[in-house]
Amino acid sequence: MTMLLSPPSLYLVIDLVLGRLFDFSRLQALYYLLSLLASLALWILAAGILAGLRRGRPRLAWMVTILLGALYGVNLVLVYGYRLIVGALPNYYTFTFLFDEPRNSWTLFLDSLRTGHVAVMVLMTGLWILALRHGSRHGARAPVRRTRSPWGLGLAATVFVVIQLVLHNNIRFVDQSYVADLTTTTGLLRNVSTRLSRRPVGLGGLGARIPTPVPDLPENAPAGAHTIDGRPVNVLIILTESLRADELGLYGQSRSTSPFLDSLVTADAQHVVRFARAFSPASSTFISLPSLITGLAPVMPARLLHTQPVFWEYFKAMGRQTFFFTSQSHEWRHLKVYFTIPAIDDLYNMEIAGFKRINDMGVDDRHVVDHFLGWLGHRDTAVAFAGLLQFNQTHYPFWTPEDARPFGTDTPRDRYDNAVRYDDRQVARIIQGLTERGLRDRTLIVLTSDHGEGFMEHGFLGHLSGLYRECRQIPMLVFLPAPLIGDTAWSGRLAVLTANSVRNVANPDILPTLLDFAGVWNDPSLDGVRDGFYGQSLLRPVDPNRPLIASNSNETSSGHSNLSLITGDWHYLLNLQGAKAGTEELYHWADDPGEKINRIDIFPPELRTSIYGAFARYELCRRIFRGCGIPLDTEPTDSPGVARGARENAS
């Protein structure tokens, strides 16, 4: 009975049922067996200590039994519940997030909790209390003869400590092969030791920016800019959260998740450019958002990320009113430090808003829209504006008000669709507000997303666990002011923009494109700054085979979570976590749009050379490939967006 209820036995049964063991490499299998042995040693220790307490302090023994049982039961449910949601056990970086963001972690836990989860926790807690009680009563039947003996307990403690040290020193590389209790103890102990030693924490974060000053740029009517009545157009970026492209009707969704946007594009097709193949540079907001507003790629040096001017600094230099209104929190990953700079005129975030926190790290998106519409009413109407509106509603767990749930709440996809429909309504309010104030035809609007979202297409729910197509492909819409369509001087450039709408583009292209619309892209005063861009202006031809790199690993986040490169219809991935760490994947979208057939075994030599050559341009990528034992076999070369980064890295 004791052995049947011991953790190793239960973990082995669960992992066999879940199929975890079949993809293990030899090294991972070894670590898994060590984890089972350490778990058994931990169990023997607990049973032995309780057996001793039962003899002299029976009441205390009961209290400790209940406490340990609760810890075991709750931990089991949380660890495997996490696996069911994201497709992998918690790892070192999961616990780092727990340490760094306790409030957000607690909010996510509460948002994910259901009545059934509580029932399972209570059941498992009761089971573990029974098992501990039985084990402490019959300790002599444990594998170590007489666990009440100091020698037996000493041996168990030694085994646990030695294996814990082995796992501790390899947690960054084989962390997904542990069992539930060792996953938790090793993750927590590694984070504690990291902080006590004052070494850099795994998740890292952004630092304070010291941007290269943007010189004064031509105001009102710079050469090549489109104007209305001699005044420049307003610029508005609407950035949605975790919105994958195929979630909208205009990208093929059959559910009515985006009725307003669908009708707007249909009725106003001449004024809307829909990019069919737009991609994110990362599936983490804290990496993709800085990439969007700087025009950089995540794999470029962190020094460049903290010195390159951002979106509103360019437009501030043109004399525009600038703002960044977001429903998200800035109290994580040092975003507050990164964004709190004097160059922006108006900043609004979750902390400033003061409303109830929902969906992990944000407030209801209607609040940020309310704030924007109110701001429109009291802004300086004599000055054009340039700003960013960022949503959060479509972040897990996809909360929406009770009167905004047309698809029900039975599944995560239902809740997600409700959130998409809710944000579609918020976009309608924005467009209506601009129209009522006579600003719709004076405003250039770009709507896009920071990244997509996975719904178990590749074994995970969410976006941090992979860079597959569902996490990379995003909507990108450019709403052109009506007067621009009739401007013959712009017909050629708009034709190029339309031609690029069927080619591979990315979020870092937005800033260069907006600067080109404003007529300052080629301004001599930006010569040095322009060298740092990874993105390209979409008013100029884009190479159909242009490589687009994505990464959740950069120099501000040492947590490696895959590399991705898209070129043409090919998608290459390098796995850096879990059972598949160090393996490569290759998909061809023309005949496998869902990325189900890995073609890495038939990697065409010329494609391999091209892809490896694109990665070799960046020192971070070269380090990651070396760590995986994969030689890139090519020397780094300069390309658009690399020249300045290479100089920064060498300095």
Side-chain angles (χ1 to χ4, degrees):
M1 174 68 176
T2 303
M3 281 302 297
L4 289 177
L5 289 178
S6 67
S9 301
L10 184 60
Y11 297 152
L12 190 58
V13 171
I14 292 175
D15 291 331
L16 283 170
V17 171
L18 295 178
R20 284 190 69 221
L21 311 183
F22 302 109
D23 293 328
F24 282 174
S25 66
R26 290 182 180 179
L27 182 61
Q28 289 167 330
L30 172 62
Y31 276 88
Y32 183 77
L33 292 175
L34 286 175
S35 301
L36 289 177
L37 181 59
S39 179
L40 179 62
L42 190 62
W43 178 259
I44 291 172
L45 273 173
I49 291 172
L50 287 174
L53 288 176
R54 281 171 59 84
R55 292 198 300 270
R57 304 287 296 276
R59 182 174 298 179
L60 179 61
W62 261 114
M63 294 174 61
V64 174
T65 300
I66 293 172
L67 176 62
L68 290 178
L71 288 175
Y72 260 112
V74 171
N75 182 66
L76 182 74
V77 173
L78 291 179
V79 167
Y80 283 101
Y82 182 93
R83 186 190 187 281
L84 289 174
I85 291 175
V86 303
L89 291 186
N91 57 22
Y92 169 71
Y93 302 105
T94 308
F95 289 101
T96 303
F97 182 83
L98 178 65
F99 272 75
D100 286 349
E101 305 294 336
R103 288 183 60 197
N104 291 331
S105 300
W106 178 246
T107 302
L108 275 174
F109 170 72
L110 291 180
D111 285 340
S112 304
L113 197 62
R114 301 291 182 269
T115 304
H117 301 161
V118 176
V120 173
M121 285 184 185
V122 172
L123 176 64
M124 294 309 302
T125 296
L127 176 65
W128 288 123
I129 291 173
L130 174 64
L132 282 166
R133 189 73 176 169
H134 190 82
S136 64
R137 182 179 299 169
H138 303 285
R141 299 179 185 177
V144 176
R145 185 182 300 274
R146 298 195 61 77
T147 57
R148 300 170 187 171
S149 162
W151 289 104
L153 293 180
L155 177 60
T158 301
V159 169
F160 176 77
V161 170
V162 169
I163 294 178
Q164 187 72 69
L165 289 173
V166 173
L167 299 179
H168 175 90
N169 290 324
N170 292 276
I171 188 172
R172 291 173 183 263
F173 310 107
V174 203
D175 54 303
Q176 294 294 350
S177 58
Y178 298 158
V179 297
D181 46 13
L182 269 293
T183 290
T184 301
T185 58
T186 310
L188 291 175
L189 288 174
R190 180 59 187 261
N191 273 276
V192 169
S193 68
T194 297
R195 281 160 171 78
L196 291 177
S197 64
R198 298 184 178 180
R199 293 194 300 269
V201 180
L203 284 174
L206 298 164
R209 297 177 56 246
I210 308 177
T212 302
V214 180
D216 289 340
L217 295 170
E219 298 182 26
N220 295 328
H226 178 74
T227 60
I228 301 174
D229 302 328
R231 294 173 54 192
V233 297
N234 304 303
V235 172
L236 176 64
I237 301 175
I238 301 174
L239 181 64
T240 57
E241 167 67 43
S242 306
L243 181 59
R244 48 193 282 173
D246 61 3
E247 194 59 26
L248 302 179
L250 57 154
Y251 284 92
Q253 171 62 271
S254 58
R255 260 184 173 179
S256 181
T257 56
S258 53
F260 174 76
L261 280 173
D262 297 345
S263 63
L264 190 63
V265 171
T266 301
D268 216 10
Q270 188 180 11
H271 301 134
V272 182
V273 180
R274 181 188 72 96
F275 287 87
R277 299 170 68 99
F279 302 96
S280 62
S283 63
S284 167
T285 302
F286 115 94
I287 296 178
S288 62
L289 175 56
S291 291
L292 185 152
I293 62 175
T294 59
L296 302 176
V299 293
M300 298 173 78
R303 204 174 313 174
L304 187 57
L305 178 67
H306 290 86
T307 57
Q308 185 82 351
V310 299
F311 161 61
W312 47 79
E313 289 172 331
Y314 293 100
F315 284 90
K316 183 70 173 174
M318 287 182 257
R320 311 288 184 90
Q321 280 183 284
T322 58
F323 64 84
F324 178 20
F325 300 156
T326 175
S327 53
Q328 297 197 8
S329 169
H330 282 169
E331 295 291 349
W332 67 290
R333 300 293 188 89
H334 310 303
L335 285 174
K336 180 179 180 180
V337 175
Y338 189 80
F339 289 131
T340 305
I341 49 178
I344 195 166
D345 293 315
D346 292 285
L347 180 66
Y348 181 85
N349 55 34
M350 188 195 81
E351 286 73 30
I352 296 173
F355 293 102
K356 179 183 177 182
R357 175 193 297 250
I358 62 166
N359 283 353
D360 183 19
M361 292 176 288
V363 297
D364 192 328
D365 286 341
R366 63 180 171 176
H367 298 313
V368 76
V369 175
D370 289 343
H371 184 78
F372 170 67
L373 296 177
W375 179 87
L376 285 178
H378 67 255
R379 70 184 183 89
D380 184 352
T381 57
V383 182
F385 65 77
L388 171 63
L389 283 176
Q390 183 187 21
F391 289 165
N392 186 66
Q393 213 77 29
T394 43
H395 192 285
Y396 181 83
F398 322 125
W399 179 90
T400 53
E402 291 187 6
D403 62 350
R405 299 171 181 174
F407 307 115
T409 58
D410 294 338
T411 67
R413 195 59 179 266
D414 290 334
R415 298 196 298 273
Y416 181 68
D417 288 348
N418 288 331
V420 175
R421 176 73 174 255
Y422 187 74
D423 272 350
D424 182 69
R425 185 192 304 175
Q426 305 311 314
V427 174
R429 294 180 61 211
I430 293 170
I431 300 298
Q432 181 182 355
L434 291 170
T435 303
E436 291 174 350
R437 292 165 177 81
L439 297 171
R440 173 63 186 87
D441 287 338
R442 306 187 69 96
T443 305
L444 175 70
I445 303 172
V446 179
L447 185 147
T448 189
S449 179
D450 54 357
H451 50 74
E453 188 82 351
F455 287 93
M456 304 308 292
E457 293 90 347
H458 290 92
F460 62 85
L461 171 65
H463 47 265
L464 292 178
S465 299
L467 286 168
Y468 293 98
R469 188 171 187 173
E470 61 268 19
C471 288
R472 282 209 63 184
Q473 189 160 5
I474 54 175
M476 186 184 291
L477 305 170
V478 177
F479 298 90
L480 302 167
L484 183 61
I485 305 301
D487 189 338
T488 56
W490 273 78
S491 59
R493 304 180 75 185
L494 294 183
V496 173
L497 183 71
T498 302
N500 286 334
S501 68
V502 294
R503 294 183 176 174
N504 293 341
V505 301
N507 268 354
D509 296 331
I510 292 175
L511 178 55
T513 303
L514 293 177
L515 294 178
D516 212 355
F517 266 114
V520 300
W521 177 245
N522 285 329
D523 192 282
S525 60
L526 292 182
D527 285 349
V529 175
R530 192 167 49 246
D531 289 342
F533 279 104
Y534 176 85
Q536 302 176 23
S537 170
L538 301 180
L539 293 174
R540 298 156 195 269
V542 170
D543 184 347
N545 295 313
R546 168 195 185 195
L548 292 175
I549 292 176
S551 173
N552 287 334
S553 310
N554 67 5
E555 292 181 349
T556 68
S557 173
S558 60
H560 291 166
S561 178
N562 304 354
L563 285 174
S564 161
L565 187 145
I566 294 167
T567 177
D569 270 343
W570 291 97
H571 187 195
Y572 168 91
L573 295 110
L574 174 64
N575 297 296
L576 301 172
Q577 279 191 340
K580 297 194 296 184
T583 63
E584 301 172 279
E585 297 177 50
L586 183 68
Y587 300 100
H588 191 232
W589 291 342
D591 47 16
D592 180 27
E595 298 185 330
K596 301 299 182 184
I597 305 171
N598 185 3
R599 300 175 183 270
I600 198 65
D601 292 336
I602 56 168
F603 205 162
E606 66 281 2
L607 181 64
R608 182 192 300 268
T609 300
S610 173
I611 289 176
Y612 282 4
F615 281 122
R617 297 167 184 167
Y618 304 97
E619 171 58 27
L620 176 63
C621 296
R622 296 197 294 272
R623 292 202 305 265
I624 290 174
F625 272 84
R626 282 197 299 269
C628 293
I630 302 174
L632 293 179
D633 296 329
T634 184
E635 293 297 322
T637 58
D638 282 354
S639 68
V642 178
R644 186 179 168 206
R647 291 198 298 271
E648 290 279 352
N649 199 56
S651 61

